Amino acid sequence: MTVPTTAAVEAELAGVMDPEIKRPITEMGMVREVQVHDDGRVVVGIDLTTKGCPLKDTIAADVRDAVSKLDGVSAVEVQMGEMNEEQKKALRQKLRGGAPELEIPFTKPGNLTRIYAVTSGKGGVGKSSITANLAAAMADQGLKVGVVDADIYGFSIPRMLGVDHVPTKLDDMIVPPIAHGVKVISIGMFVPENAAVVWRGPMLHRAVQQFLADVYWGDLDVLLLDLPPGTGDVAISVGQLLPNAEIVVVTTPQIAAAEVAERAGSIAGQTRQRVVGVVENMSWLEQGDGSKLEIFGSGGGKAVADRLTNLLGYEVSLRAQVPLDPQLREGGDEGTPIVIAAPDSTAGATLRELAHALGHRARGLAGRSLGLSPT
């Protein structure tokens, strides 16, 4: 029986991707050794970034599946180990592309990641639900998406996106877990369940900074930030750390909520960020006869958009009106957003359309290299 060569096995392993970092395990230096025995048995040594990697079983299964396809392979054995400090340092440098530690990649010249900070004037308007659904829909539409749960006190994104394991730590670099194709980071992944986070301004700023600089995001098309309600420390920090972020304001039709939402959007005038639109959530409840029951009144979203237009000096549009739908709440509780669970529902379709509009907006020349050089 002809057995495969070591080179042939390594070529197959080059197609095995790390589930979190989304790079070949060979490129990441995770393949320690390959042994091919005369009886066709192949032993593959894999060094994980951390001994307790939550996805080690997935990696092992992918390695076995890839190698077993080769002719002449009778069995595949995967032996797991852990990277040493030198290997981890080399991997960190590779992932950062030689960039210094604690550098926020989204502010570098030439970075074309669209950044949307989703905010609201008050809690309970569905800001996190909108963020989670936009992220899942954008990923489903083929974009590379990340979410920062910047609502430090009221974090809820991990549950809404169904994140089921903690981030992987590569010394001082954090590899975010992925759910529904979305990379996610939240303070909720680092504190005991239901524990309160009692931090003030400097700690909040540092947390947001670490989420942006210490997390390996890779090459994202869109980064979404779920901000806490209001105009407090985190909103100010995001304005300082990500001056190129654009603001999406979420409100309900209720006039009282709309007046508060206007204040959240108006902070863009002080931070020199741009408001790209208003989303009105819980707009109505569809009845069996096709009529709409406006439980929270009407007109709030349009009122916020009009007032921000006058205040900021450019047009701020009402981007979407999302109806009340029990499936939207159920999806948040179960970790499967409605844009995935029920994409053809009115709420699901509306959110998918909004995701496509925000994810595929035409770009200006800001941040783009024109390919010119002085002569």
Side-chain angles (χ1 to χ4, degrees), residues 342-367:
D344 296 327
S345 64
T346 303
T350 299
L351 287 164
R352 289 184 68 88
E353 290 173 9
L354 176 61
H356 187 273
L358 293 177
H360 296 83
R361 288 171 57 223
R363 284 190 181 276
L365 295 179

Side-chain angles (χ1 to χ4, degrees), residues 196-324:
V197 179
V198 187
W199 290 350
R200 300 186 71 178
M203 288 290 287
L204 295 173
H205 180 90
R206 178 59 178 155
V208 175
Q209 185 180 41
Q210 283 194 280
F211 285 166
L212 298 172
D214 289 354
V215 172
Y216 173 69
W217 292 108
D219 183 21
L220 295 182
D221 295 309
V222 180
L223 178 70
L224 295 165
L225 294 96
D226 182 29
L227 300 190
T231 57
D233 293 314
V234 171
I236 295 170
S237 291
V238 169
Q240 294 172 342
L241 297 170
L242 295 172
N244 53 333
E246 298 176 290
I247 307 297
V248 177
V249 179
V250 179
T251 186
T252 60
Q254 188 176 359
I255 297 301
E259 290 175 346
V260 181
E262 179 189 345
R263 299 172 206 154
S266 66
I267 195 174
Q270 302 174 48
T271 59
R272 299 183 182 277
Q273 294 168 309
R274 188 173 185 87
V275 177
V276 296
V278 175
V279 177
E280 184 185 89
N281 195 26
M282 310 180 200
S283 295
W284 58 76
L285 178 64
E286 293 187 351
Q287 303 294 289
D289 59 2
S291 62
K292 299 176 180 179
L293 177 60
E294 296 175 329
I295 297 176
F296 297 106
S298 64
K302 184 65 165 60
V304 172
D306 290 345
R307 290 171 188 163
L308 289 176
T309 295
N310 294 331
L311 180 66
L312 299 175
Y314 55 83
E315 183 178 359
V316 176
S317 62
L318 175 59
R319 287 269 178 178
Q321 291 177 287
V322 183
L324 277 164

Side-chain angles (χ1 to χ4, degrees), residues 19-233:
E20 293 180 310
I21 299 179
K22 300 299 184 183
R23 288 197 183 185
I25 59 174
T26 50
E27 180 184 320
M28 293 172 59
M30 293 174 64
V31 180
R32 181 177 63 256
E33 62 175 347
V34 173
Q35 299 175 7
V36 181
H37 296 270
D38 293 340
D39 60 357
R41 185 169 54 91
V42 178
V43 178
V44 180
I46 299 292
D47 284 335
L48 301 169
T49 55
T50 178
K51 189 174 183 179
C53 176
L55 296 177
K56 63 182 179 181
D57 292 339
T58 300
I59 296 172
D62 291 346
V63 168
R64 284 192 289 267
D65 289 344
V67 177
S68 62
K69 295 175 183 176
L70 291 170
D71 292 336
V73 173
S74 60
V76 180
E77 179 184 345
V78 182
Q79 297 179 347
M80 293 293 190
E82 183 181 3
M83 286 185 174
N84 57 35
E85 290 306 314
E86 189 173 324
Q87 288 174 296
K88 290 180 181 180
K89 181 178 179 181
L91 178 56
R92 289 198 309 273
Q93 290 176 341
K94 181 184 288 290
L95 294 179
R96 292 189 186 275
E101 305 284 321
L102 294 177
E103 182 178 39
I104 297 177
F106 307 110
T107 58
K108 293 174 62 177
N111 184 278
L112 296 179
T113 301
R114 284 203 176 279
I115 306 170
Y116 293 114
V118 184
T119 187
S120 65
K122 62 194 294 291
V125 300
K127 167 184 53 63
S128 297
S129 295
I130 298 296
T131 304
N133 276 277
L134 287 179
M138 287 177 178
D140 191 56
Q141 292 164 2
L143 297 179
K144 290 171 286 187
V145 185
V147 174
V148 173
D149 188 353
D151 193 348
I152 305 298
Y153 299 139
F155 52 85
S156 57
I157 288 295
R159 171 177 288 280
M160 290 186 171
L161 282 173
V163 177
D164 57 7
H165 63 277
V166 299
T168 298
K169 282 207 68 178
L170 187 58
D171 289 341
D172 55 352
M173 178 184 283
I174 302 169
V175 180
I178 299 175
H180 301 293
V182 179
K183 295 182 178 181
V184 186
I185 199 70
S186 169
I187 195 65
M189 301 171 182
F190 302 93
V191 298
E193 187 174 0
N194 296 324
V197 179
V198 187
W199 290 350
R200 300 186 71 178
M203 288 290 287
L204 295 173
H205 180 90
R206 178 59 178 155
V208 175
Q209 185 180 41
Q210 283 194 280
F211 285 166
L212 298 172
D214 289 354
V215 172
Y216 173 69
W217 292 108
D219 183 21
L220 295 182
D221 295 309
V222 180
L223 178 70
L224 295 165
L225 294 96
D226 182 29
L227 300 190
T231 57
D233 293 314

